[in-house]
Amino acid sequence: MVKVGVIGANGYGGVELLRLLKQHPLVNVEKVISHSTQGCKLTEQYPHLNDVYEMTLEKIDIEEIASNVDLLFFATPSGVSKEIIPPFLERKVKCIDLSGDFRLKDGLLYEKWYKNTQAKNELLQNATYGLTELFRSEIKNGHLIANPGCYPTATILGVYPALKAKWIDQKSIIIDGKSGISGAGRNASIGNIFAEINENMKAYKIGLHQHILEQLLNVISGEEARISFTTHLVPMTRGIMCTIYADLKETISTQEMIDLYKETYKDEYFVRIRSANEWPATKEVTGSNFCDIGLRVDERTNRLVIVSVIDNLVKGAAGQAIQNMNVINAWYEKTGLENVPLYP
């Protein structure tokens, strides 16, 4: 059994990790840690965990935690994990970070986009980007995994096959992203209260999500990518839907595109490609680690349309983190993650 801990266990990402880890047969949760709610029982924060996790949220004590765990998940706000991960790595504790602190290789870009000081360059260069389907071989030997965010996961999985095949123009990509309210975290704010979000839809952070996507698209295509990306908040609890548009470089049919995607992901259990004229919906992946993708070539405009959906708290956060843990430990990759989506 591998002993794990969750730092930031009082947030939505942290409690989702606990939900999924409970059914993992090769893991014991030894530590649940929270700076802001230390000393509280988990069940005070989340009554649904009564008789499931009767644990108390602890403070961050590096020596105490490191001596009791083999692997740590960091479900912390941006700017926190870069400060507390280094001493755990020094003590040979493997770390999977769900925040954005180690995703960007260029620390100056991190400072620009996140408005915070960067992590040490050595750690940035040694961190492995944890998009499992694309970087599995690197993740196997990783000690610091930078778990992708929800928007990059849905977008990159959606665009990867066409971009890798060089069937689309990497400078023509437009992404229309929509997220449920849980993506904003549990801290209250005016924009997230019921009266503001119910029966409403709004764009937010326009022009502020491109950074990590362009870094990855550059790696995939081998050329400079430039994208337009607009995010929207929609009145639902969970889910990400990214509708992606890209100009084709040649004439390709919808079926040829679907065949390319099915061949690319034929060995990827968690990526499901829909048949022609079938489009995925967020409800169809809720509670699961699946990414569902639908495709169509608009022959009139010679443009590819991709619809990619995930549960932002699972494939977009906790589920993918556990998938990466399975890879690191050379376990069956589906272990603890074979949840059937919740429907309706």
Side-chain angles (χ1 to χ4, degrees):
M1 300 292 285
V2 169
K3 297 180 291 184
V4 305
V6 178
I7 296 183
N10 59 329
Y12 288 146
V15 79
E16 190 72 353
L17 276 165
L18 294 175
R19 179 179 76 88
L20 296 170
L21 289 168
K22 188 65 178 178
Q23 64 193 19
H24 199 294
L26 302 175
V27 163
N28 279 332
V29 177
E30 299 288 337
K31 296 286 182 181
V32 288
I33 300 106
S34 168
H35 172 72
S36 60
T37 55
Q38 59 181 277
C40 296
K41 291 181 68 68
L42 260 176
T43 52
E44 293 177 43
Q45 301 290 309
Y46 293 102
H48 73 288
L49 295 180
N50 271 300
D51 298 327
V52 179
Y53 278 107
E54 297 292 342
M55 302 175 75
T56 299
L57 291 157
E58 302 178 31
K59 66 180 181 179
I60 298 174
D61 183 324
I62 293 169
E63 293 296 344
E64 165 67 15
I65 296 168
S67 64
N68 283 280
V69 303
D70 306 302
L71 183 146
L72 276 173
F73 295 98
F74 292 79
T76 52
S78 293
V80 175
S81 62
K82 66 183 176 63
E83 302 296 337
I84 56 178
I85 278 180
F88 287 111
L89 292 174
E90 292 169 5
R91 289 160 176 79
K92 309 302 181 185
V93 176
K94 294 180 179 179
C95 299
I96 299 178
D97 181 30
L98 278 68
S99 81
D101 285 9
F102 298 96
R103 293 174 189 159
L104 285 165
K105 295 299 183 184
D106 185 338
L108 293 178
L109 280 178
Y110 176 88
E111 292 183 354
K112 174 183 176 181
W113 293 103
Y114 288 89
K115 309 301 180 187
N116 208 328
T117 57
Q118 62 184 278
K120 292 181 179 179
N121 187 61
E122 179 184 359
L123 290 177
L124 292 179
Q125 303 313 313
N126 289 333
T128 302
Y129 193 73
L131 187 53
T132 323
E133 286 76 12
L134 271 63
F135 303 109
R136 185 176 287 106
S137 59
E138 294 89 342
I139 293 166
K140 285 179 181 178
N141 299 312
H143 294 275
L144 170 56
I145 307 299
N147 220 55
C150 46
Y151 278 124
T153 295
T155 300
I156 298 299
L157 290 176
V159 80
Y160 171 72
L163 190 63
K164 185 69 174 177
K166 298 189 182 299
W167 284 4
I168 58 175
D169 179 355
Q170 77 278 2
K171 292 188 177 180
S172 71
I173 298 171
I174 299 172
I175 305 160
D176 180 330
K178 296 178 176 65
S179 174
I181 194 65
S182 62
R186 204 181 192 203
N187 289 334
S189 69
I190 293 297
N192 297 343
I193 62 176
F194 180 82
E196 298 282 337
I197 193 63
N198 184 49
E199 297 184 12
N200 194 16
M201 182 185 295
K202 54 186 175 182
Y204 69 100
K205 293 186 178 179
I206 296 175
L208 296 180
H209 280 89
Q210 281 83 335
H211 47 291
I212 189 64
L213 290 171
E214 290 183 346
Q215 173 180 279
L216 287 171
L217 294 175
N218 291 345
V219 170
I220 294 166
S221 68
E223 304 174 61
E224 183 182 19
R226 283 289 179 267
I227 64 173
S228 297
F229 186 17
T230 302
T231 55
H232 304 80
L233 197 60
V234 297
M236 62 183 183
T237 301
R238 291 173 179 249
I240 290 278
M241 174 180 281
C242 286
T243 306
I244 307 162
Y245 307 88
D247 293 338
L248 292 169
K249 290 183 174 180
E250 53 189 285
T251 301
I252 297 164
S253 70
T254 295
Q255 192 56 53
E256 287 175 316
M257 191 65 72
I258 291 173
D259 291 343
L260 169 69
Y261 273 65
K262 287 189 174 182
E263 176 63 25
T264 301
Y265 291 127
K266 65 181 180 181
D267 297 321
E268 301 297 345
Y269 175 76
F270 293 116
V271 182
R272 306 188 296 188
I273 308 302
R274 297 298 176 88
S275 298
N277 299 315
E278 292 182 2
W279 300 100
T282 56
K283 180 69 79 172
E284 294 160 0
V285 297
T286 297
S288 78
N289 201 48
F290 289 116
C291 174
D292 284 9
I293 298 171
L295 306 152
R296 180 166 185 161
V297 171
D298 184 339
E299 296 176 356
R300 185 180 64 84
T301 60
N302 201 37
R303 186 174 293 130
L304 173 63
V305 181
I306 307 162
V307 176
S308 177
V309 300
I310 63 171
D311 184 321
N312 57 293
L313 292 177
V314 188
K315 186 59 175 172
Q320 190 156 220
I322 292 171
Q323 189 179 353
N324 287 327
M325 175 187 68
N326 290 341
V327 171
I328 289 172
N329 288 288
W331 294 334
Y332 180 59
E333 198 168 307
K334 303 176 191 176
T335 306
L337 293 172
E338 294 187 88
N339 303 49
V340 175
L342 302 171
Y343 199 94

